[in-house]
């Protein structure tokens, strides 16, 4: 062994996961326990007292997430939205404002517009593709600039480094929802963001068998406050869910390579397809965020959105005709999924500034044989 900093794929398999000290088990056990025996009052054997405050399986996951995002602390939650809620309660107070992508994940938008708003935290939608617009939108009450990149479902790309610089100059923190890219494809903390959030339900878990969330920060003070809020709110990841996400992370690098390669090939095919009017994929040279994505991402990821020429009903019918792609919400699993954002994942933003085109189809490209995926889409589009 050298003193070299371990590579991402090595950390994904080993960070936080020393063989179990009592048995030598190479995989961290699922510590299905709510409480821990004490040696005399206040005498903790291993630092654990109660599993909301801390559980060894969750600690293994949190340490792995921390290492992969390059932060000082990782925290695991019961869902992505639970993670987001904890971040906002940590970073804001009534009267504060948050800038939000104008095509944010629908559930994120709903949490801000309908929940945080009630407690006096206002949110303002902005175009994350335009740093100048963000600079103009930042006001004295702006505490947080919330970014997604690529965005869901329009695959817009935000310049994390440029936005972090202008947000910090105005005294605001930058939170990046890194769910679509994953730490393998994009490292927001290194680019200047303060906090990264994930729905680990998606690529981190990677097998569509768990709902979870994560937060990583490289700011010691924020880390301390996040830890307090995680325990006070209590929306923590359970031991079994933590174990599933930890297992998923081991193969994150190889899965993302394959998701990205498959998606790139499919995007090219769709781009030439007679039934398709527009393909939204940052890997295509025609995508407005292509050069930026090339700078700040390792590959372009597994998500593609596209519009069909024949309109909404044709888009809905196409989604119903695929045989390898499963019609369903969510994303980031090994199996390919297809959906109609307007009527499914993004129904909650209908009639708002965040409404998506009704002829839009979103793909979560899995790691199946790419020819099978291409043929399947072609027959579905031809009808
Ligand atoms: C799914 C998702 C979320 C919400 O995560 P849950 O685990 O479903 O609570 C947040 N952001 C993005 C980008 C997502 O795709």
């Amino acid at each position: 062994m050298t003193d070299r900093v371990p590579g991402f794929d090595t950390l994904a398999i080993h960070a936080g996961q020393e063989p179990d000290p009592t048995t030598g088990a190479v995989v961290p056990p699922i510590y299905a326990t709510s409480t821990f025996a004490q040696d005399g009052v206040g005498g903790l054997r291993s630092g654990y007292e109660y599993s909301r405050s801390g559980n060894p399986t969750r600690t293994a996951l949190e340490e792995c997430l921390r290492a992969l995002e390059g932060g000082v602390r990782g925290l695991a939650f019961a869902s992505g939205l639970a993670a987001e809620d904890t971040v906002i309660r940590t970073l804001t107070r009534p009267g504060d404002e948050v800038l939000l992508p104008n095509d944010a994940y629908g559930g994120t938008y709903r949490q801000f517009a309908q929940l945080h708003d009630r407690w006096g935290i206002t949110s303002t939608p902005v175009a994350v593709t335009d740093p100048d617009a963000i600079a103009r939108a930042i006001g004295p009450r702006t505490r947080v600039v919330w970014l997604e990149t690529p965005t869901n479902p329009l695959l817009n790309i935000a310049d994390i480094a440029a936005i972090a610089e202008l947000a910090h100059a105005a005294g605001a923190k930058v939170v990046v929802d890194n769910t679509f890219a994953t730490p393998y494809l994009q490292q927001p903390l290194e680019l200047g963001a303060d906090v990264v959030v994930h729905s680990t339900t998606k690529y981190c878990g990677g097998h569509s068998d768990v709902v979870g969330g994560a937060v990583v920060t490289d700011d010691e003070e924020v880390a301390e406050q996040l830890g307090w809020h995680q325990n006070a709110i209590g929306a923590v990841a359970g031991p079994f869910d933590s174990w599933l996400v930890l297992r998923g992370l081991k193969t994150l690098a190889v899965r993302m390579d394959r998701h990205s390669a498959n998606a790139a090939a499919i995007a090219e095919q769709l781009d030439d397809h007679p039934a398709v009017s527009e393909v939204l994929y940052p890997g295509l040279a025609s995508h407005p965020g292509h050069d930026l994505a090339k700078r700040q991402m390792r590959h372009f990821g597994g998500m593609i959105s596209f519009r069909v020429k024949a309109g909404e009903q044709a888009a809905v019918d196409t989604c119903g005709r695929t045989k390898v792609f499963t019609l369903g919400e969510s994303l980031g699993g090994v199996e390919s999924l297809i959906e109609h954002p307007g009527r499914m994942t993004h129904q909650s933003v209908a009639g708002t500034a965040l409404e998506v085109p009704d002829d839009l189809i979103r793909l979560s490209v899995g790691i199946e044989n790419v020819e099978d995926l291409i043929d399947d889409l072609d027959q579905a589009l031809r009808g």
Side-chain angles (χ1 to χ4, degrees), residues 78-82 84 105 107-108 148 150 152 177 179-180 197-202 211-213 330-331 362:
S79 71
L81 287 181
E84 293 183 19
Y105 171 70
T108 300
E148 271 179 44
N152 176 13
D177 181 337
T179 298
F180 268 36
V197 303
H198 280 281
S199 170
T200 54
T201 313
K202 316 294 169 52
V211 170
S330 197
L331 61 108
R362 189 187 76 178

Side-chain angles (χ1 to χ4, degrees), residues 28-343:
I30 302 168
Y31 284 91
T33 186
S34 58
T35 190
F36 299 81
Q38 304 190 8
D39 295 326
V41 174
L44 306 185
R45 291 181 196 187
S46 55
Y48 294 100
E49 55 181 317
Y50 183 62
S51 278
R52 168 161 42 69
S53 312
N55 174 284
T57 317
R58 196 175 94 216
T59 301
L61 170 61
E62 292 179 330
E63 173 54 20
C64 189
L65 289 162
R66 181 207 65 72
L68 296 183
E69 287 287 3
V72 296
R73 182 158 185 183
L75 305 103
F77 293 87
S79 71
L81 287 181
E84 293 183 19
D85 181 46
T86 302
V87 166
I88 283 307
R89 288 170 196 259
T90 303
L91 295 181
T92 66
R93 297 289 177 270
D96 290 345
E97 183 202 34
V98 177
L99 300 186
L100 207 59
N102 64 6
D103 62 340
Y105 171 70
T108 300
Y109 175 75
R110 181 179 56 205
Q111 190 181 100
F112 278 95
Q114 296 179 36
L115 183 70
H116 299 316
D117 188 73
R118 273 196 254 154
W119 306 102
I121 298 147
T122 55
S123 57
T124 306
V126 291
V128 295
T129 49
D130 184 357
D132 293 338
I134 292 178
R136 282 195 302 276
I138 293 181
R141 297 192 304 115
T142 309
R143 278 284 91 70
V144 173
V145 178
W146 189 280
L147 297 178
E148 271 179 44
T149 181
T151 59
N152 176 13
L154 299 180
L155 285 306
N156 285 317
I157 306 294
D159 189 336
I160 297 172
I163 294 168
E165 204 175 313
L166 65 89
H168 291 157
K173 300 273 190 218
V174 174
V175 178
V176 175
D177 181 337
N178 205 25
T179 298
F180 268 36
T182 80
Y184 179 62
L185 299 186
Q186 175 172 277
Q187 302 251 287
L189 298 178
E190 197 179 302
L191 292 165
D194 304 286
V195 176
V196 171
V197 303
H198 280 281
S199 170
T200 54
T201 313
K202 316 294 169 52
Y203 289 107
C204 290
H207 296 75
S208 304
D209 54 9
V210 63
V211 170
V215 178
V216 183
T217 181
D218 60 359
D219 179 320
E220 294 281 2
E221 200 184 320
V222 172
E224 171 87 35
Q225 291 168 5
L226 279 168
W228 187 89
H229 282 81
Q230 180 192 40
N231 184 50
I233 296 170
V236 295
F240 183 54
D241 289 354
S242 297
W243 183 87
L244 283 171
V245 175
L246 202 51
R247 184 173 66 166
L249 286 176
K250 289 178 193 289
T251 55
L252 182 64
V254 286
R255 282 187 289 109
M256 293 316 291
D257 282 340
R258 180 66 172 265
H259 282 296
S260 299
N262 279 1
I266 289 170
E268 297 270 339
Q269 292 286 324
L270 288 174
D271 210 25
D272 289 336
H273 200 283
V276 173
S277 59
E278 190 184 4
V279 181
L280 309 175
Y281 184 65
L284 293 174
S286 58
H287 188 283
H290 177 69
D291 290 339
L292 175 56
K294 215 165 152 177
R295 278 207 306 281
Q296 85 185 5
M297 298 175 75
R298 188 196 297 257
H299 308 303
F300 302 101
M303 298 300 297
I304 302 174
S305 291
F306 65 99
R307 301 177 72 173
V308 295
K309 285 182 186 155
E312 180 176 16
Q313 194 54 47
V316 169
D317 291 346
T318 302
C319 290
R321 274 196 295 259
T322 54
K323 299 189 172 80
V324 184
F325 280 83
T326 301
L327 175 59
E329 302 200 352
S330 197
L331 61 108
V334 290
E335 66 287 304
S336 293
L337 298 175
I338 188 167
E339 68 122 357
H340 184 266
R343 292 201 193 168

